[in-house]
Amino acid sequence: MPEPRPKCIKKVLHAGKGAVPDYRTGTKALFHYETLKPKDPVKPEVGMPESRDDYDVIDNTRRSWPGGYGKPLELIFGKKFQLPVFETCLRSMLVDEVSQFDIELSELCTYPMVSKKLRDLAKPHDKGHSHGHDSHMCAAALSAGTGYDELDELMRDPRPLRFIFHLLSVTQPEEYEAEGWQLTSEEKMQSVETLRLQGNQLFSQYHWAVN
């Protein structure tokens, strides 16, 4: 019986530096990525084409909207990012590494929805929009289309995709202050209590100062 095809095949294009970071819940990865769609259907026995000329570019974080986001993507591990395979890819990477990942269609069902959401956030009139106001996106909500031709075409004719990741930096949870949307219910309660104690302390300092 033949072995099943791997769902994600990696090829290092540019070596990174140091050791593989400790990726854990709350670890923040900052990275650029480019998404390439094969122009022709991919035959399993042949695999993904090698030449870049055989691909169309769907997304590129270095491009401005609507072809990209105009800035690197920030991913917080363990916070239920809607494209889990991105975490899988990043876990294998070193800082400053550039790698290519060929990903099977079964891992990419949510890709058009995720890309639409990220592009919408990058629209000029959406600047300043916070993660806390993001609405859940489901397939039914996209029945009329995503608003982006290449994503609509990908939904009509799904294919495995090639991603090129460039990992810029990795920051551990204790090295940055988490935003409200990243906190669990318990962490939010702890944050409220901390703010209450800080407020009481400031009030006491002010009270003694005026007296």
Side-chain angles (χ1 to χ4, degrees):
M1 182 176 180
E3 294 185 3
R5 285 174 52 83
K7 295 182 178 181
C8 182
I9 299 176
K10 176 181 178 179
K11 178 181 180 181
V12 177
L13 304 179
H14 174 77
K17 55 190 178 183
V20 176
D22 177 22
Y23 293 104
R24 50 195 166 95
T25 298
T27 297
K28 179 191 296 185
L30 188 69
F31 61 101
H32 276 297
Y33 78 88
E34 187 176 22
T35 309
L36 306 177
K37 174 189 172 184
K39 292 181 178 179
D40 298 317
V42 176
K43 297 179 180 179
E45 65 274 14
V46 176
M48 300 284 273
E50 287 300 321
S51 175
R52 188 180 174 92
D53 294 337
D54 293 325
Y55 292 86
D56 291 321
V57 177
I58 295 180
D59 272 326
N60 188 336
T61 53
R62 289 183 169 88
R63 290 182 179 177
S64 58
W65 183 87
Y69 324 130
K71 62 180 181 179
L73 183 64
E74 183 181 281
L75 188 151
I76 309 294
F77 281 75
K79 299 301 179 180
K80 298 182 179 179
F81 184 61
Q82 293 177 346
L83 206 56
V85 71
F86 272 33
E87 289 193 14
T88 302
C89 294
L90 290 168
R91 285 182 187 278
S92 72
M93 297 183 68
L94 306 176
V95 173
D96 206 33
E97 177 181 319
V98 179
S99 282
Q100 163 187 302
F101 295 88
D102 291 343
I103 300 177
E104 286 293 302
L105 181 58
S106 61
E107 301 295 302
L108 299 170
C109 296
T110 59
Y111 178 77
M113 294 179 281
V114 173
S115 180
K116 170 185 166 54
K117 179 181 290 187
L118 293 173
R119 291 189 192 197
D120 287 348
L121 288 171
K123 285 182 181 179
H125 60 77
D126 279 347
K127 286 184 177 179
H129 185 79
S130 70
H131 291 275
H133 297 289
D134 288 350
S135 59
H136 178 68
M137 185 70 67
C138 64
L142 295 177
S143 58
T146 64
Y148 302 96
D149 292 342
E150 57 272 30
L151 297 181
D152 291 341
E153 176 60 28
L154 183 62
M155 293 183 70
R156 287 191 296 267
D157 183 18
R159 294 184 185 178
L161 300 174
R162 172 168 290 178
F163 292 85
I164 298 176
F165 287 82
H166 180 192
L167 182 58
L168 302 175
S169 66
V170 174
T171 308
Q172 297 302 340
E174 62 274 11
E175 297 173 340
Y176 71 94
E177 184 173 351
E179 298 179 27
W181 67 270
Q182 298 172 225
L183 302 177
T184 63
S185 298
E186 292 78 8
E187 290 170 337
K188 288 179 181 178
M189 291 296 293
Q190 292 174 0
S191 177
V192 169
E193 178 63 14
T194 299
L195 290 173
R196 185 186 69 80
L197 293 174
Q198 290 175 344
N200 288 344
Q201 184 179 13
L202 289 173
F203 177 80
S204 298
Q205 292 173 349
Y206 174 78
H207 178 75
W208 282 106
V210 297
N211 288 285

